[in-house]
Amino acid sequence: MLSFLIRRLGQSLLVMLAVALLAFSMFRYVGDPVTNMLSQDASVEEREQLRESLGLSEPLYVQFSTFVVQAAQGDFGISYRNQRPVSELIAERMPATLELVAVAFIISLLVGVPMGVYSALKPHSWLSHVFQTLSLIGISLPTFVTGILLILTFSVTLNWLPSFGRGEVVSIGWWSTGLLTASGLKSLILPGIMLGLFQVTLIMRLVRAEMMEVLRTDYIRFARARGLSNRAVNFGHALKNTLMPVITIIGLQLGAMIAFAIITETVFQWPGMGFLFIQAVSFVDIPVMSAYLLLVSLIFVVINMIVDMLYFMLDPRLCADRGTANSH
Amino acid sequence: MRRKLLCVAMTLSLGAAMTSQANTLRMAEASDIASLDPYSVTESNTLGFLHHIYEPLVRYNADLKLEPALATSWELVEPNVWRFELREGVSFHNGNSLNADDVVASIHRAIDPNAPIRVNVPTVVDARKVGEMSVEIVLSTADPLLLNYLTNVYIFDKEWMTENNALNAIDLRKGEENYATTHANGTGPFQLESRQPDAKTVLAVNPRWWDTPQHNLTRIEFTPISSDATRVAALLSGEIDLMYPAPLQDVKRIDSTAGVKVLQAPSLRTIMFGMDQRDDQLHDSDIKDRNPLKDARVRKALYQAINMELIHKKVMRGNSRNSALVVAPEVPGYDAALNQRFPFDPEAAKALLADAGYPNGFRVGLDCTNDRYVNDEEICQAVVSMWARVGIRANLTAQSKGNHFQKMLGGGSDIYMFGWATLPMLDTFSALTGFLATPADKLGTWNPGGYSNARIDSLIDQISGELDEPKRRAMLAETLEIARDEVAVIPLHQQPLSWGIRDGITLPQTPDDKPRLWYAKVN
């Protein structure tokens, strides 16, 4: 177990280094930050000077190693656009993204699981067909279109919900939350739905498929033969066994939601990390871009590691395999 | 007792909420201000917004004419020394009153070689106190544009800067924070209440403002909304009162909605094509032995092959102003008599090309932005097909501004799109030094095509120190005429400003695209 963990940690570090290197080699194609930082009247020398002192004229590997060394010490530099420390900017935006993802996640669970269970139990009812069709639409519509449609319907036409921003936020220490005010909660609904919609359809389809599989197994038939109530069979035995693979997948999806909240955040002007990243890209704000990409790879690496370790604990066969065959 | 307190608190906060609701103007823009420190950026949207908090010695009014602000009068002591008398009774938002020390410290902060705003005050070398309320500003040379420059130097409170260790502007190279990036203390009509970057910046009215308010606002809520569709939706749903830019494709929709409308006017920004006239061979052409763009006939042919009326009507939907000059009418130095475009005439263009030795035209690279100017990519696509009709096969590269300007300023483009608003100088001289001067040192930094005319260069030299305004204007007009006749660049139009606004709000639309909310009225 320990050797596995150490090996995993080593691999994770390598992955993160690779991500950082990839990111760095891409930055040169995003454009020249110096043009954005200086006014039109700045002379060629002034541009060169600034580029020089920001270390942008250094060869790629020098820039990269400087970044890695500083990042290892927790120093991500100062944003070119916002002119504040990058770590501070990210810490300031993180609550917004995490709250949005949490809400979207809860929505997708609360809606997706019951829909999946229902359409597994009654695969031929008309409501199941409706769910199936809806999930197809949910999967095939691009998220920004759903976002705009939601805004048009609920903000412009009905005037019920705000079309942008987080509403009023309350600060608890460094964490700013929109969960404690009415306008904050209202602001969470539309982006939460937009971000959660794809997950709803995914979870629904996953639960449905897994549950239909489980319902065909012998122990379910046996349980029914024993005369257990439908409720006990469906929810006590079938659903419980269905959820194992579902939890794995949605655990991984959580990372994806944090990383890909970018589109939702852009459409709803949500002041989160993804929005920070998009703005950084258009300004060629290299310190912010590199820190964000590193953070996202960290999130994925951590989640993957947790999932791996969970497997280890849940499935003793993995240990046995490794002991005999020593394969990976 | 406790309950009573709670009640009092609630009524108080309710009361506060009611008054603050009274005349709040909620404004949205595509991007957030970069910083609260006006010396740390040169972007005009940031400087425009910060003008509500901070003020310069002289400012532009709603007609873009200079008027006294924190200085009441000024005179030339020597050709390169100006004396400014400061306004009495002006106080900063923290209660300190304005004096000569504040102005001196501010000017020194602005001219620090590492201050980003340094480039906006190129000739200022020193400031000194000559009395409690009078200051002298020393220039490296006589400069008729000092007042224009000073409109962008907002005055800080020296005590506040000293207390907070902000006597110098941020220097990104040092990687340090600056107090003024996140705090503000000016003399302006509004004071900072709160700021959450990329989310909301709230200003409250400054009850002690020295000027007689022409506005009736009590609060400004500024929200950046970068997505065009969301910004429009927010205006239509009544969540904001003013937003800009209003995307051109949504103008009709906004206008047809009750309660909101679009204000449109041509801006100061002239859109142009620059051409490589320096290299002996183009980068992306089938003519290998010479550079056809060096020939003024070829440049004129390209010019005359563009149907600007069509672009005005179809691409810009009637909202642009076609221009023969590289500056807009509001810019000092513009001469209406010179603003005559060469007519659109494909036959004449073909004849010119044949005359120059290219009867079958040639291939050429065309570089455009796709996220910087109004309908930039669409304009270029239209031009490509117009040029094709006279035999010019343009190979269009439309990309984001970061990449475009890197390629263009690095001299890698054959024909390149760029815009010039003459800001922050707001004078024709900015266009001359920016892209009509032969590139050398600080001149011609936006002239990667290397257009060069000895007469223009010598005129620039004379204009820079000419303090007699009529003489200066005459020389400016002469340069504009030379540039037009030689087709130094191909001017297209002044692109439109469009602001979406709620009915019941009156606000002058200034062509520099900076809403001046101290002229705004809400009812």
Side-chain angles (χ1 to χ4, degrees):
Chain A
M1 179 72 190
L2 193 67
S3 72
F4 168 76
L5 203 64
I6 290 170
R7 197 161 43 228
R8 261 294 183 217
L9 272 175
Q11 285 168 351
S12 309
L13 269 179
L14 273 182
V15 166
M16 288 180 63
L17 276 176
V19 168
L21 185 64
L22 267 177
F24 252 82
S25 49
M26 277 185 315
F27 290 155
R28 61 176 55 200
Y29 301 110
V30 190
D32 183 7
V34 172
T35 331
N36 291 325
M37 293 165 71
L38 289 174
S39 85
Q40 288 198 333
D41 299 330
S43 72
V44 181
E45 284 86 65
E46 281 163 331
R47 281 175 217 283
E48 270 316 310
Q49 221 178 32
L50 183 61
R51 196 172 290 127
E52 191 82 26
S53 47
L54 290 174
L56 293 171
S57 43
E58 305 276 1
L60 184 68
Y61 64 92
V62 176
Q63 288 187 44
F64 179 66
S65 55
T66 321
F67 170 74
V68 170
V69 168
Q70 285 182 344
Q73 297 163 351
D75 176 13
F76 292 94
I78 287 216
S79 154
Y80 296 164
R81 187 178 83 94
N82 304 75
Q83 310 185 339
R84 292 173 51 207
V86 174
S87 41
E88 203 179 299
L89 282 173
I90 289 187
E92 191 179 279
R93 308 304 166 90
M94 199 181 284
T97 300
L98 292 185
E99 281 185 3
L100 174 62
V101 168
V103 166
F105 193 63
I106 291 168
I107 290 179
S108 60
L109 280 183
L110 288 185
V111 179
V113 174
M115 274 167 79
V117 170
Y118 182 85
S119 43
L121 291 179
K122 301 199 167 132
H124 300 298
S125 84
W126 62 272
L127 197 57
S128 297
H129 289 296
V130 171
F131 286 166
Q132 285 287 76
T133 321
L134 281 181
S135 78
L136 257 186
I137 296 174
I139 276 189
S140 48
L141 260 188
T143 42
F144 64 90
V145 175
T146 21
I148 296 292
L149 285 178
L150 287 172
I151 291 179
L152 277 184
T153 318
F154 294 99
S155 305
V156 178
T157 312
L158 296 171
N159 235 327
W160 289 351
L161 297 167
S163 59
F164 69 90
R166 281 185 89 187
E168 294 296 322
V169 289
V170 179
S171 294
I172 305 170
W174 62 275
W175 185 278
S176 67
T177 178
L179 295 172
L180 298 177
T181 62
S183 74
L185 286 172
K186 273 169 97 176
S187 307
L188 269 164
I189 298 175
L190 291 185
I193 293 177
M194 173 177 164
L195 187 60
L197 194 65
F198 181 80
Q199 312 299 329
V200 167
T201 57
L202 185 81
I203 290 174
M204 183 210 134
R205 290 180 156 255
L206 203 65
V207 168
R208 177 177 174 273
E210 285 293 330
M211 191 141 173
M212 286 172 97
E213 192 83 3
V214 172
L215 284 174
R216 279 199 290 272
T217 53
D218 287 343
Y219 65 87
I220 297 292
R221 287 162 197 246
F222 182 68
R224 284 199 202 286
R226 270 182 65 198
L228 294 182
S229 70
N230 265 345
R231 195 190 152 90
V233 174
N234 291 341
F235 295 97
H237 296 279
L239 185 59
K240 215 172 177 183
N241 283 294
T242 303
L243 285 184
M244 286 307 302
V246 173
I247 285 172
T248 317
I249 297 284
I250 56 182
L252 289 176
Q253 281 302 108
L254 192 63
M257 280 165 87
I258 296 174
F260 302 127
I262 293 177
I263 298 171
T264 311
E265 291 184 358
T266 311
V267 169
F268 285 96
Q269 189 70 28
W270 195 262
M273 295 186 293
F275 188 68
L276 184 70
F277 176 70
I278 280 289
Q279 302 238 306
V281 170
S282 66
F283 195 85
V284 202
D285 193 343
I286 291 175
V288 172
M289 288 194 284
S290 32
Y292 177 80
L293 291 174
L294 207 62
L295 181 71
V296 165
S297 66
L298 178 71
I299 291 174
F300 271 98
V301 161
V302 167
I303 289 180
N304 269 309
M305 229 161 85
I306 292 174
V307 168
D308 277 350
M309 281 159 58
L310 278 179
Y311 274 158
F312 239 97
M313 290 170 190
L314 294 176
D315 196 343
R317 282 172 297 180
L318 277 175
C319 282
D321 277 357
R322 197 171 304 273
T324 53
N326 201 15
S327 65
H328 178 61
Chain B
M1 178 61 196
R2 213 183 206 172
R3 178 170 293 175
K4 210 171 185 179
L5 266 178
L6 199 71
C7 268
V8 172
M10 272 179 66
T11 10
L12 275 178
S13 63
L14 207 68
M18 301 259 293
T19 46
S20 71
Q21 284 296 307
N23 278 330
T24 299
L25 192 137
R26 298 156 304 168
M27 169 168 83
E29 203 197 321
S31 54
D32 196 16
I33 56 172
S35 163
L36 284 172
D37 184 348
Y39 292 10
S40 69
V41 284
T42 52
E43 272 180 294
S44 52
N45 69 328
T46 302
L47 288 179
F49 183 78
L50 292 179
H51 203 331
H52 296 94
I53 304 175
Y54 286 103
E55 288 174 307
L57 293 176
V58 283
R59 67 181 178 193
Y60 289 113
N61 64 13
D63 302 317
L64 295 189
K65 298 275 178 285
L66 288 166
E67 65 176 19
L70 297 187
T72 47
S73 64
W74 46 87
E75 57 176 341
L76 268 176
V77 188
E78 279 166 56
N80 67 330
V81 179
W82 296 58
R83 179 174 300 162
F84 289 84
E85 299 302 326
L86 304 182
R87 193 176 291 278
E88 303 278 348
V90 174
S91 61
F92 288 92
H93 299 151
N94 65 356
N96 290 354
S97 46
L98 172 81
N99 58 38
D101 290 324
D102 298 324
V103 176
V104 170
S106 299
I107 301 280
H108 283 156
R109 189 176 193 263
I111 60 174
D112 183 274
N114 290 327
I117 202 162
R118 173 74 184 116
V119 290
N120 283 359
V121 280
T123 49
V124 178
V125 289
D126 196 15
R128 55 190 179 222
K129 179 179 177 176
V130 285
E132 197 45 43
M133 296 304 275
S134 113
V135 171
E136 276 180 1
I137 293 182
V138 185
L139 310 180
S140 57
T141 165
D143 190 340
L145 293 169
L146 176 68
L147 294 179
N148 300 34
Y149 294 142
L150 289 181
T151 58
N152 280 308
V153 180
Y154 301 156
I155 302 304
F156 280 84
D157 176 23
K158 186 181 180 186
E159 288 80 20
W160 183 81
M161 291 195 290
T162 318
E163 269 165 38
N164 299 302
N165 195 19
L167 273 169
N168 289 314
I170 192 169
D171 184 359
L172 283 171
R173 289 161 265 224
K174 289 202 186 118
E176 285 165 9
E177 273 185 279
N178 193 303
Y179 185 79
T181 309
T182 46
H183 299 77
N185 173 42
T187 57
F190 298 90
Q191 56 198 44
L192 182 72
E193 194 176 289
S194 65
R195 168 160 163 80
Q196 301 157 263
D198 280 336
K200 196 192 249 182
T201 304
V202 181
L203 307 184
V205 71
N206 170 12
R208 286 173 303 183
W209 192 35
W210 55 270
D211 202 358
T212 324
Q214 296 185 42
H215 68 88
N216 65 356
L217 308 182
T218 48
R219 234 165 102 88
I220 297 172
E221 287 181 18
F222 171 75
T223 330
I225 304 182
S226 62
S227 153
D228 280 349
T230 312
R231 199 163 61 249
V232 173
L235 179 73
L236 295 181
S237 62
E239 288 164 82
I240 50 175
D241 304 312
L242 168 69
M243 65 90 150
Y244 69 101
L248 279 194
Q249 67 270 19
D250 289 323
V251 167
K252 270 209 175 116
R253 170 132 183 274
I254 297 173
D255 268 336
S256 65
T257 308
V260 287
K261 61 176 179 285
V262 176
L263 298 179
Q264 277 189 317
S267 68
L268 293 180
R269 195 173 300 279
T270 308
I271 305 299
M272 290 165 274
F273 286 134
M275 290 159 285
D276 181 5
Q277 302 159 50
R278 178 173 54 190
D279 299 325
D280 292 327
Q281 186 187 330
L282 292 176
H283 306 85
D284 183 12
S285 174
D286 45 5
I287 308 280
K288 295 290 180 200
D289 54 338
R290 57 195 183 233
N291 176 351
L293 297 178
K294 282 189 175 183
D295 189 330
R297 287 170 297 183
V298 174
R299 301 200 296 268
K300 194 172 175 193
L302 292 172
Y303 185 134
Q304 289 199 280
I306 302 176
N307 185 348
M308 280 314 294
E309 269 317 299
L310 197 65
I311 290 180
H312 171 72
K313 273 202 201 102
K314 296 295 177 195
V315 181
M316 307 306 288
R317 303 181 199 213
N319 295 312
S320 58
R321 177 173 53 209
N322 291 345
S323 179
L325 298 183
V326 296
V327 294
E330 292 84 0
V331 179
Y334 168 91
D335 187 340
L338 295 175
N339 193 14
Q340 303 291 328
R341 279 189 68 88
F342 298 123
F344 163 62
D345 189 343
E347 290 313 313
K350 273 187 201 160
L352 280 167
L353 283 175
D355 200 26
Y358 309 97
N360 301 316
F362 54 88
R363 196 182 76 215
V364 67
L366 171 63
D367 284 302
C368 294
T369 52
N370 58 12
D371 58 355
R372 176 67 184 91
Y373 306 116
V374 180
N375 292 342
D376 38 14
E377 189 172 358
E378 291 82 353
I379 294 169
C380 290
Q381 282 163 348
V383 167
V384 166
S385 60
M386 290 168 185
W387 280 347
R389 288 177 53 199
V390 298
I392 302 294
R393 300 177 295 284
N395 183 14
L396 173 62
T397 310
Q399 53 189 351
S400 72
K401 53 180 187 274
N403 286 321
H404 172 78
F405 290 123
Q406 187 175 26
K407 180 177 181 189
M408 166 189 150
L409 294 175
S413 300
D414 291 343
I415 302 181
Y416 48 87
M417 175 182 240
F418 73 106
W420 203 263
T422 73
L423 295 173
M425 198 189 286
L426 198 58
D427 192 272
T428 300
F429 193 61
S430 151
L432 305 190
T433 53
F435 59 91
L436 292 179
T438 307
D441 191 27
K442 297 211 160 210
L443 293 172
T445 50
W446 277 66
N447 183 13
Y451 168 76
S452 175
N453 179 297
R455 175 67 185 151
I456 289 189
D457 288 341
S458 80
L459 279 170
I460 288 175
D461 202 37
Q462 294 170 44
I463 294 167
S464 66
E466 181 56 69
L467 296 171
D468 180 49
E469 191 58 16
K471 263 195 197 162
R472 198 179 76 89
R473 294 278 172 112
M475 288 192 282
L476 288 174
E478 189 185 341
T479 55
L480 288 180
E481 189 173 6
I482 297 172
R484 184 196 63 174
D485 292 343
E486 286 199 331
V487 196
V489 295
I490 302 177
L492 303 177
H493 56 228
Q494 274 97 41
Q495 67 177 17
L497 303 175
S498 46
W499 302 355
I501 193 166
R502 182 172 69 75
D503 286 350
I505 293 179
T506 47
L507 175 68
Q509 191 176 27
T510 34
D512 59 356
D513 212 9
K514 293 177 184 171
R516 289 168 166 77
L517 298 182
W518 56 94
Y519 294 113
K521 280 210 160 69
V522 176
N523 43 11

